[in-house]
């Protein structure tokens, strides 16, 4: 038989490999002329050795006092520790570039006075995350820090929201939501040492998270900010005003949700002591009823006084929201006296319950609309209605004003 001579070919793409042909049917073998492929170069990162099954792992050196018991950044640690020490099992990574000891007891939001956690991370870790992003806490995180009234769906989002002047605002950090927004200096404050958007700017940012059909959520949050809360029988100053909210909206410029913010700003009123009262007022307006008077006070000719959460003067209807504290015998006697005075003044007194809120106040609004039609029909046949919707009783004058 005749055998062809063996041939050797050099690969132009991989000069470290050669192919040696035996000449029989194209068979041959691949030869490697360079260093072994499994070997690592001198600049390669050293592999982390696994402890031998029969040996105890080496105990890492204790942390320096400057790093113990707190969250520290990688830059702070490399001044005192090696990179291998940061990969020890007694340390855990809080986020990219931040570590802390496994045995550290995290802080709690309850210790800072928050009934619910502001974020999934404890306070000290959330503060480091904001610092590493070089931004300012905003949106839902800032809303919880300021105590804004949030819609129910916001409870599911426990990420740390940060705004920074970036084109996209994106970040690869887990549990962090970055927004590419520029926050001017006048819209920045500090809460527990953390840079946070101001109260007014936080309300504007909340509007950017709402759909066009969620304007009521922005109005509820805005009403709570401009309201004068009760404390020891007196009204306290509001946390902010509608004019300051408007100024923050102008500084924010154009953004997604600006129309929601403008529509909500036009509906914000002073006098709603609770979110259900705001939603009841909006339900009355949606039904075509006139703007109700909030926190109205009625004074009889004999000097007796009573209050109402809101009064639709044209319809002669007084509404009172029962938040669950009206069930004691003493409070029930006060409610009966209140209803009597409003009825003597020619008004229909309606008590609104939590069940009415569950159905979006449809039954209550329907009752007010029916009474409004009856009052208007009566005034058409018997002449114009008395001023402010009040009738004269016992030849005396009834006075209607606002509380506080």
């Amino acid at each position: 038989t005749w055998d062809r001579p063996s041939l050797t070919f050099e690969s132009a793409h991989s000069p470290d490999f050669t192919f040696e042909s035996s000449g029989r049917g194209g068979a041959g073998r691949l030869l490697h002329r360079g260093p072994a492929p499994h070997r690592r170069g001198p600049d390669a990162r050293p592999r982390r050795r696994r402890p031998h099954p029969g040996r105890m792992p080496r105990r890492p050196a204790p942390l320096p006092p400057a790093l113990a018991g707190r969250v520290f950044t990688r830059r702070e640690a490399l001044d005192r520790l090696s990179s291998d020490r940061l990969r020890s099992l007694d340390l855990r990574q809080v986020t990219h570039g931040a570590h802390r000891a496994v045995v550290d007891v995290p802080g709690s939001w309850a210790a800072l006075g928050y009934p619910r956690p502001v974020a999934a991370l404890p306070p000290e870790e959330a503060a480091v995350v904001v610092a590493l992003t070089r931004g300012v806490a905003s949106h839902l995180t800032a809303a919880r820090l300021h105590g804004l009234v949030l819609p129910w769906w916001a409870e599911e989002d426990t990420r740390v929201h940060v705004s920074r002047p970036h084109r996209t605002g994106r970040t690869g950090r887990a549990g962090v939501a970055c927004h590419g927004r520029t926050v001017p200096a006048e819209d920045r404050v500090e809460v527990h040492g953390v840079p946070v958007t101001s109260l007014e700017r936080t309300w504007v940012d909340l509007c950017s998270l709402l759909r066009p059909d969620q304007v009521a959520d922005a109005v509820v949050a805005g009403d709570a900010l401009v309201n004068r809360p009760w404390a020891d029988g007196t009204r306290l100053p509001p946390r902010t005003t509608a004019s300051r909210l408007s100024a923050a909206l102008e500084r924010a410029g154009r953004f997604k949700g600006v129309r929601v913010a403008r529509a909500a700003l036009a509906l914000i009123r002073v006098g709603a002591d609770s979110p259900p009262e705001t939603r009841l007022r909006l339900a009355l307006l949606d039904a075509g009823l006139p703007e109700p008077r909030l926190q109205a006070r009625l004074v009889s000719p004999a000097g007796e006084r009573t209050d109402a959460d809101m009064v639709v003067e044209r319809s002669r209807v007084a509404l009172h929201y029962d938040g669950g504290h009206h069930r004691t015998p003493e409070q029930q006697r006060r409610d009966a006296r209140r209803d009597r005075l409003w009825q003597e003044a020619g008004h229909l007194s309606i008590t609104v319950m939590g069940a009415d809120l569950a159905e979006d106040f449809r039954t209550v609004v329907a009752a007010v609309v029916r009474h409004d039609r009856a009052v208007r029909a009566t005034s058409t046949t018997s002449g114009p209605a008395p001023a402010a919707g009040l009738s004269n009783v016992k030849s005396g004058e009834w006075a209607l004003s606002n509380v506080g």
Side-chain angles (χ1 to χ4, degrees):
T1 59
W2 179 77
D3 294 334
R4 288 178 296 179
S6 61
L7 300 177
T8 302
F9 299 93
E10 232 181 72
S11 174
H13 299 286
S14 300
D16 292 338
F17 291 88
T18 57
F19 179 78
E20 182 178 355
S21 175
S22 61
R24 295 183 177 88
R29 56 181 180 173
L30 187 66
L31 302 179
H32 184 266
R33 300 189 306 172
H38 64 274
R39 294 180 181 176
R40 298 164 58 88
D43 298 333
R45 182 177 179 179
R47 292 182 177 179
R48 184 178 181 181
R49 295 184 179 182
R50 297 181 179 179
H52 192 274
R55 300 177 184 176
M56 293 294 293
R58 182 181 298 177
R59 180 177 298 179
L63 292 175
L67 303 180
R70 69 179 186 92
V71 184
F72 53 87
T73 63
R74 180 179 177 86
R75 179 175 298 181
E76 294 174 333
L78 290 181
D79 295 338
R80 303 173 177 88
L81 303 175
S82 63
S83 57
D84 291 339
R85 180 66 180 88
L86 292 178
R87 295 191 296 269
S88 300
L89 299 179
D90 66 327
L91 300 179
R92 68 178 180 89
Q93 188 180 48
V94 174
T95 184
H96 178 71
H99 306 263
R100 77 179 311 172
V102 176
V103 297
D104 287 349
V105 179
S108 65
W109 293 104
L112 298 178
Y114 295 96
R116 295 183 180 180
V118 173
L121 296 176
E124 65 276 11
E125 296 182 8
V128 171
V129 168
V130 175
L132 289 177
T133 57
R134 297 192 297 274
V136 54
S138 63
H139 294 76
L140 295 182
T141 302
R144 295 190 182 101
L145 288 172
H146 288 301
L148 266 68
V149 179
L150 296 176
W152 62 269
W153 52 263
E155 301 295 333
E156 303 177 357
D157 191 349
T158 58
R159 298 174 296 174
V160 178
H161 287 255
V162 179
S163 291
R164 58 178 182 175
H166 191 269
R167 185 174 61 88
T168 60
R170 297 177 181 176
T171 179
R173 299 180 186 275
V176 180
C178 262
H179 306 270
R181 300 289 302 278
T182 301
V183 182
E186 53 267 34
D187 288 332
R188 297 188 180 207
V189 295
E190 280 197 5
V191 178
H192 303 296
V194 179
V196 184
T197 53
S198 64
L199 192 65
E200 296 79 13
R201 175 57 185 262
T202 302
W203 178 82
V204 173
D205 290 338
L206 175 63
C207 295
S208 68
L209 303 177
L210 301 176
R211 301 191 306 268
D213 59 342
Q214 295 176 325
V215 176
D217 294 330
V219 179
V220 168
D223 276 6
L225 293 179
V226 302
N227 184 43
R228 300 179 59 191
W230 283 101
D232 299 331
T234 59
R235 291 278 186 178
L236 298 179
R239 302 183 64 185
T240 187
T241 60
S243 59
R244 294 172 62 180
L245 292 176
S246 178
L249 178 59
E250 291 298 326
R251 288 192 297 267
R254 298 179 60 183
F255 62 94
K256 179 183 177 181
V258 65
R259 294 184 179 180
V260 174
R262 291 171 180 170
L265 188 62
L267 293 172
I268 291 177
R269 299 291 184 272
V270 178
D273 286 339
S274 64
E277 293 181 20
T278 297
R279 296 190 181 277
L280 175 59
R281 177 175 63 85
L282 296 178
L284 295 173
L285 295 178
D286 291 340
L289 294 167
E291 184 83 27
R293 180 193 290 264
L294 302 180
Q295 303 305 320
R297 169 162 292 176
L298 176 68
V299 182
S300 70
E304 294 184 279
R305 297 184 178 185
T306 187
D307 301 334
D309 292 330
M310 62 186 69
V311 174
V312 185
E313 299 182 59
R314 188 188 74 181
S315 308
R316 299 183 186 177
V317 176
L319 298 125
H320 324 274
Y321 185 79
D322 181 2
H325 60 280
H326 292 246
R327 299 174 183 175
T328 63
E330 178 63 25
Q331 187 62 46
Q332 290 178 0
R333 285 191 293 269
R334 294 178 183 175
D335 293 346
R337 173 182 170 274
R338 176 200 66 192
D339 295 340
R340 176 182 59 82
L341 289 175
W342 282 107
Q343 290 173 5
E344 290 179 359
H347 279 56
L348 175 64
S349 182
I350 300 178
T351 300
V352 186
M353 311 293 290
D356 298 315
L357 173 62
E359 64 171 15
D360 296 330
F361 305 107
R362 286 191 293 269
T363 303
V364 175
V365 172
V368 177
V369 170
R370 287 194 302 268
H371 198 266
D372 179 74
R373 292 174 181 172
V375 170
R376 294 171 66 186
T378 303
S379 63
T380 302
T381 57
S382 60
L390 293 173
S391 60
N392 296 330
V393 178
K394 298 179 182 179
S395 68
E397 293 294 334
W398 290 79
L400 185 64
S401 60
N402 291 88
V403 180

